[in-house]
Amino acid sequence: MPTHRRTFTGLPQEIGHARRWARSVLGGHPCTDDALLVVTELGTNAIAHTASRGGSFLLAVNCSETAVTVTVTDSGGTSTRPHVEHPDDEAFGGRGLALVTAYATRVRIRGDHRGHTITVELCAKASESAVR
């Protein structure tokens, strides 16, 4: 199946637009809810932690009958590579990428200070894909 790509402005209200666009691309795919969580977390991270804030981020979605791949590329501007954090119970944030990895079959992080690309693969459970 083709990969669908769209660039979103690096403003907080664009996260909702990104979710709606991804939902329209995925239709009734069994991984839709998990994919929308990934879109929310990765898009929010791009805006909160990189030059995408006020700039833009690229969202790509690809789906097959049994899997979805979500890719977010930020605009760089940071030398810190995205990573899973382990905040204490009182911390306000820092759980997004850990949550994404808990849902994902595979997570790949590439890039440098010019921009990072995070690709998340989600596979439907056998019982979910049989419903489709």
Side-chain angles (χ1 to χ4, degrees):
M1 300 199 89
T3 299
H4 302 269
R5 291 179 177 84
R6 183 167 167 192
T7 300
F8 291 89
T9 306
L11 300 170
Q13 58 267 32
E14 285 293 285
I15 300 302
H17 296 171
R19 268 195 312 271
R20 285 187 289 281
W21 175 80
R23 183 183 300 280
S24 71
V25 167
L26 294 169
H29 195 282
C31 293
T32 296
D33 289 340
D34 293 350
L36 296 178
L37 177 131
V38 170
V39 167
T40 300
E41 290 299 330
L42 297 185
T44 299
N45 284 352
I47 292 171
H49 302 296
T50 75
S52 291
R53 178 191 303 264
S56 64
F57 65 93
L58 175 66
L59 171 60
V61 176
N62 183 299
C63 61
S64 68
E65 190 172 314
T66 60
V68 170
T69 302
V70 175
T71 303
V72 172
T73 301
D74 65 44
S75 296
T78 180
S79 60
T80 305
R81 181 179 166 91
H83 61 280
V84 174
E85 294 184 12
H86 302 284
D88 65 35
D89 291 341
E90 303 304 315
F92 181 71
R95 293 173 183 82
L97 199 49
L99 184 61
V100 167
T101 59
Y103 281 86
T105 304
R106 182 171 156 171
V107 177
R108 290 185 310 266
I109 301 172
R110 300 183 319 269
D112 56 24
H113 66 281
R114 294 169 293 198
H116 290 96
T117 298
I118 302 176
T119 302
V120 177
E121 295 175 16
L122 303 161
C123 290
K125 295 174 186 75
S127 61
E128 292 174 337
S129 60
V131 173
R132 188 160 195 222

